[in-house]
Amino acid sequence: MDAAVRRYRVMAYITGTVLIVLCFVGIPLQVAAGNDVIVNDVGTLHGILYIIYLVTAYLLARRLRLSIGPTILMLAAGTIPVLTFVVERWVTRTYINPARQGQQAGQAAPTARTG
Amino acid sequence: MSSAEAGRPAVEQAPAASWRFLVTPRWLGWHLAMVVSVAGMLALGYWQFRRAMEGNALSWAYTFEWPIFAVFAVVFWAKTIRDEFSPPQASTASDGQELAVGIRPARSADRDDGREADEAAPEDEDLAAYNAYLARLQEQVKDHGRWHGLR
């Protein structure tokens, strides 16, 4: 579970950052200055990273037993600038943290609370 | 939920109800969305392939990317349907049988109350874990019907 969360998070941050560079640096440069270098290179890079993101996000979604709607939102978040980060926080708050609390409550004995 | 349950004839409970969800309007919508999006991805892949053949080197990456997305969509769709038939948590432990019952929204309510009441041995880690797990399931199942079609 922890490993799946870590993989998803790493990919979410990398993919999200690359997408922001692509959209807020690359596309303005292409439109304003006619410079295609960033759009071409970063665009391809984002395409490849997104495939990895897709896999990690889907594996985590299955781990968390999300239903179709949240899963699709999680997967699509890698293609929409800024939303990647928003959704990562939302998934953490709504699904990952409750699942972790459930695990801890299950693993630790009721009296043992070491902080 | 109760109205959907009441409207269904009691006779076809066991075998028919297992695949019936696939032809509910919600699921037909999902099937349609799947077919359209996969066709769209393949079309985009073909379009990129034509551009690549015309000399656009950048299109080669996308020529392979779109079919990968299409395959992923099909895998996603197939696994989602399989999960509906047999929920994935059934495979996690020996308690699979109980969980398959617990995940049904209609029955989980009265089931869980019984579970929560008999947390007899607090030092029993397995039981505590199981109870926590049931509580989590209950939490997750709350709005399941919204997406999975009312069963």
Side-chain angles (χ1 to χ4, degrees):
Chain A
M1 163 87 175
D2 280 345
V5 170
R6 211 174 307 122
R7 278 194 290 267
Y8 161 69
R9 234 171 236 168
V10 166
M11 285 317 297
Y13 279 102
I14 294 176
T15 311
T17 308
V18 168
L19 189 57
I20 281 177
V21 170
L22 175 63
C23 289
F24 298 121
V25 180
I27 289 177
L29 267 181
Q30 183 186 37
V31 172
N35 184 338
D36 284 352
V37 175
I38 290 184
V39 167
N40 290 354
D41 291 355
V42 178
T44 309
L45 178 65
H46 175 261
I48 295 164
L49 286 171
Y50 179 65
I51 294 175
I52 306 171
Y53 169 83
L54 212 55
V55 173
T56 59
Y58 182 59
L59 288 178
L60 180 62
R62 268 176 77 82
R63 249 325 155 68
L64 294 169
R65 299 179 200 89
L66 302 189
S67 46
I68 300 177
T71 304
I72 288 179
L73 178 60
M74 219 170 134
L75 299 181
T79 62
I80 300 164
V82 185
L83 192 69
T84 322
F85 300 106
V86 177
V87 166
E88 192 273 325
R89 292 199 59 154
W90 172 75
V91 168
T92 302
R93 192 159 18 87
T94 320
Y95 299 106
I96 296 175
N97 286 344
R100 279 204 169 129
Q101 278 161 14
Q103 272 185 344
Q104 280 166 6
Q107 280 158 8
T111 48
R113 177 140 171 80
T114 49
Chain B
M1 189 178 297
S2 57
S3 63
E5 209 71 43
R8 184 186 297 159
V11 189
E12 49 185 78
Q13 273 292 335
S18 60
W19 60 267
R20 272 293 161 83
F21 72 90
L22 284 173
V23 291
T24 55
R26 184 180 300 277
W27 270 95
L28 289 177
W30 283 119
H31 300 327
L32 184 68
M34 269 308 302
V35 171
V36 168
S37 61
V38 168
M41 289 177 204
L42 291 177
L44 283 166
Y46 180 64
W47 171 60
Q48 292 289 346
F49 174 69
R50 282 205 333 244
R51 281 181 44 162
M53 291 305 276
E54 284 164 12
N56 188 341
L58 196 64
S59 287
W60 277 118
Y62 298 109
T63 300
F64 292 102
E65 228 171 280
W66 281 113
I68 289 175
F69 289 147
V71 169
F72 182 88
V74 172
V75 170
F76 175 77
W77 177 71
K79 279 194 175 284
T80 305
I81 289 174
R82 253 190 59 187
D83 286 357
E84 281 295 285
F85 277 115
S86 54
Q89 47 273 63
S91 63
T92 49
S94 56
D95 47 24
Q97 193 190 3
E98 295 266 4
L99 292 170
V101 175
I103 198 161
R104 313 251 163 192
R107 296 190 205 162
S108 57
D110 45 27
R111 280 259 156 181
D112 256 21
D113 290 340
R115 286 274 156 205
E116 230 107 85
D118 63 22
E119 38 184 35
E123 69 274 9
D124 187 345
E125 284 189 21
D126 284 345
L127 182 64
Y130 183 61
N131 279 334
Y133 187 49
L134 276 184
R136 245 184 305 146
L137 269 184
Q138 179 71 7
E139 191 71 24
Q140 286 158 6
V141 150
K142 241 181 239 164
D143 39 31
H144 244 215
R146 272 175 359 112
W147 295 104
H148 286 205
L150 296 170
R151 290 189 272 179

